[in-house]
Amino acid sequence: MSLSVFDIFKVGIGPSSSHTMGPMRAAREFVAGLKRDGLLAATSQIAVRLYGSLALTGIGHGTDRAVLAGLEGAVPETVDPDSIEPLIRRVRSEGRIKLLGEHEIPFDEPMQLLFMRHETLPRHSNGMRFTALGANSSVLREDDYYSIGGGFIVHGDETEASGVRAAHVEPPYPFTSGAELLAKCRENGLELYELMLANERTWRSEEEVRAGLLNIWKVMQQCVERGFRQTGHLPGVLKVKRRAPKMYRVLTEGKGSSALEVMDWVNAFALAVNEENAAGGRVVTAPTNGAAGIVPAVMHFYARFEPGANEAGIMRFLLCAAAMGMLYKRNASISGAEMGCMGEVGVACSMAAAGLVAALNGTNEQIENAAEIGMEHNLGLTCDPVAGLVQIPCIERNAMGSVKAINAARLAMRGDGTHKVSLDQVIATMRQTGLDMQTIYKETSQGGLAVNVPEC
Ligand code: SF4
């Protein structure tokens, strides 16, 4: 089943698409299901169990807070990030929760929101089990959900395809591999962005696609602007100081240095987004929250430094970057819990490289080449967030991924699109490497920097 560009780029909140947005969505879906089936009023208790990676890094990634907000009816796309803290404080101080904002019941968080650190559910490392109890503690309903990366969830034993927010009418040019995508473009005389646009028109008008993409860009710009304005430290035990505001001040006051000032700007754009993400702010999942800074940073680079940059280029960027994200999602994974950081920063780097080439009117073959380079040099990248927070190495890693994406685009633009390693081969390599990678390097904070850097 084909995905839409708006499945890949989603407006949400930080700090994590798999550990915050997915659990919030699952919690809401569970209670919405109770209401739909007439069970909400009979529910007198609710219990939530988090398994695997969600249990191990859930506190640092805000999973507990996301679940509480989701049970109260919040959805990542529309919830006001500033409303979450008061909601959590109320639930914790009163020991009561308002399911879907309408049915209030007692809620003893330490007893009813459990982190099953030594257990995993069978289908994925990010498992959740929701139980609704009625009179005499009888089980009204018990459901498992999985947060499979990028804010996507699947329910119980649904197949992944039926669980994603997939468009149900097939588009004119479905594709499952990079080779097929290029071939369909060739056979139909289409630029890659034109093929993507034709597919999107299956589900919404061209005007709606345009408005939706420009809204994604607007939210990315607002995120960078907010990240430049905020000061102080990020939440959590690491007491990480925000760096983007100072970098922005230095750059705008003309105190930036040398020919590499452009790189300073790219770094500042990426840090601004990921600091906002770490603070639980509004971000665009691209394709995940942990890696949400790379696509916007490279788009800001394009808009600020490329002569002739315009809205049409922004649209080409997003459409082609999304095409690459779809290939990774279909043929490997965009979940740090499955692929390590290759699945997040690696994928975002690859998407941004492809998007930049498209914005600069590169050929379809150069776009595919840029995406391939963007991933090839992220193969093996582990996920080892210190203290389970999406801060170290995540924030800085987005700056590194952004610079790498721009270089991948430049390398591809200097060539004619022919190259030895295909995008499909590198995606297959990524998937195999992810499967071979030890669990301690897959969003569990049990290896790597997470065990070598003291938490305070
Ligand atoms: S290390 Fe990478 S994959 Fe892991 S939480 Fe940070 S950004 Fe996400």
Side-chain angles (χ1 to χ4, degrees), residues 61 290-291 336 340-341 344-345 382-385 390 393-394 397 443:
H61 285 52
C341 205
E344 298 206 19
V345 162
T382 58
C383 168
D384 50 1
V390 194
C394 320
R397 187 164 286 174
E443 215 163 0

Side-chain angles (χ1 to χ4, degrees), residues 15-16 18 57 61 274 288-292 335-337 339-346 381-386 388-395 397-398 441-444:
S16 168
S18 58
T57 56
H61 285 52
N274 285 85
T288 66
N289 282 27
S335 164
M339 294 285 127
C341 205
M342 286 184 295
E344 298 206 19
V345 162
L381 194 63
T382 58
C383 168
D384 50 1
V386 178
L389 294 165
V390 194
Q391 298 181 6
I392 300 173
C394 320
I395 296 171
R397 187 164 286 174
N398 275 258
Y441 299 117
K442 295 197 270 197
E443 215 163 0
T444 57

Side-chain angles (χ1 to χ4, degrees), residues 288-310:
T288 66
N289 282 27
I294 295 172
V295 168
V298 179
M299 288 177 73
H300 277 79
F301 161 79
Y302 165 74
R304 190 177 181 104
F305 296 108
E306 287 293 350
N310 55 26

Side-chain angles (χ1 to χ4, degrees), residues 2-4 6-10 25 77 152-153 161-168 204:
S2 296
L3 292 173
S4 157
F6 300 106
D7 290 316
I8 298 296
F9 295 117
K10 297 184 288 291
R25 196 167 279 140
E77 289 82 358
F152 292 92
I153 55 168
S162 66
V164 299
R165 207 158 52 83
H168 293 289
R204 36 184 84 75

Side-chain angles (χ1 to χ4, degrees), residues 116-455:
M116 317 299 283
R117 291 189 174 83
H118 304 291
E119 293 179 42
T120 48
L121 291 181
R123 294 194 53 204
H124 194 283
S125 175
N126 291 335
M128 293 161 269
R129 178 164 292 159
F130 295 88
T131 311
L133 303 168
N136 306 320
S137 297
S138 56
V139 175
L140 296 175
R141 173 165 293 169
E142 186 162 84
D143 280 338
D144 292 348
Y145 286 85
Y146 298 90
S147 180
I148 58 172
F152 292 92
I153 55 168
V154 290
H155 175 200
D157 51 11
E158 273 178 354
T159 62
E160 182 169 327
S162 66
V164 299
R165 207 158 52 83
H168 293 289
V169 182
E170 275 303 288
Y173 307 112
F175 57 89
T176 57
S177 68
E180 189 182 6
L181 178 58
L182 287 180
K184 287 200 170 162
C185 287
R186 236 179 348 257
E187 285 157 16
N188 295 284
L190 295 171
E191 298 294 338
L192 210 153
Y193 81 90
E194 292 174 320
L195 180 146
M196 288 294 292
L197 197 52
N199 281 356
E200 289 299 318
R201 281 204 305 262
T202 312
W203 308 303
R204 36 184 84 75
S205 72
E206 188 161 333
E207 196 37 52
E208 285 170 328
V209 176
R210 184 175 171 281
L213 291 176
L214 292 180
N215 183 53
I216 293 288
W217 173 225
K218 191 169 122 207
V219 176
M220 288 175 172
Q221 289 173 293
Q222 289 168 340
C223 182
V224 166
E225 283 159 21
R226 194 163 192 277
F228 283 159
R229 279 200 315 273
Q230 302 299 306
T231 50
H233 293 85
L234 297 170
V237 292
L238 295 177
K239 309 236 178 322
V240 170
K241 194 169 175 206
R242 287 182 185 253
R243 284 185 282 175
K246 186 172 171 206
M247 287 178 77
Y248 177 66
R249 212 173 47 248
V250 169
L251 286 165
T252 47
E253 286 172 357
K255 295 184 199 152
S257 62
S258 79
L260 290 180
E261 193 176 307
V262 173
M263 200 190 290
D264 292 339
W265 273 104
V266 173
N267 288 335
F269 294 137
L271 294 184
V273 173
N274 285 85
E275 286 170 359
E276 273 302 285
N277 180 60
R282 170 76 67 221
V283 297
V284 173
T285 299
T288 66
N289 282 27
I294 295 172
V295 168
V298 179
M299 288 177 73
H300 277 79
F301 161 79
Y302 165 74
R304 190 177 181 104
F305 296 108
E306 287 293 350
N310 55 26
E311 254 178 38
I314 291 292
M315 300 224 340
R316 289 196 298 277
F317 194 121
L318 287 171
L319 287 165
C320 293
M324 302 305 125
M326 290 171 192
L327 290 173
Y328 285 103
K329 171 132 186 59
R330 171 179 280 273
N331 297 315
S333 163
I334 56 171
S335 164
E338 283 188 291
M339 294 285 127
C341 205
M342 286 184 295
E344 298 206 19
V345 162
V347 172
C349 176
S350 177
M351 288 168 60
L356 181 56
V357 174
L360 296 173
N361 286 307
T363 65
N364 294 340
E365 288 72 20
Q366 287 171 323
I367 293 170
E368 185 260 2
N369 189 187
E372 181 278 314
I373 297 170
M375 174 53 76
E376 185 179 330
H377 306 288
N378 279 300
L379 287 174
L381 194 63
T382 58
C383 168
D384 50 1
V386 178
L389 294 165
V390 194
Q391 298 181 6
I392 300 173
C394 320
I395 296 171
E396 209 170 77
R397 187 164 286 174
N398 275 258
M400 300 303 293
S402 304
V403 171
K404 200 182 272 191
I406 294 169
N407 201 23
R410 293 188 70 81
L411 280 167
M413 293 287 281
R414 293 281 176 190
D416 62 4
T418 55
H419 53 112
K420 284 278 182 207
V421 181
S422 72
L423 176 59
D424 293 330
Q425 287 169 331
V426 93
I427 294 176
T429 307
M430 171 206 172
R431 187 173 54 78
Q432 288 156 14
T433 308
L435 292 175
D436 289 341
M437 193 182 276
Q438 285 187 46
T439 308
I440 57 170
Y441 299 117
K442 295 197 270 197
E443 215 163 0
T444 57
S445 290
Q446 291 178 325
L449 286 172
V451 296
N452 287 297
V453 177
E455 291 187 6

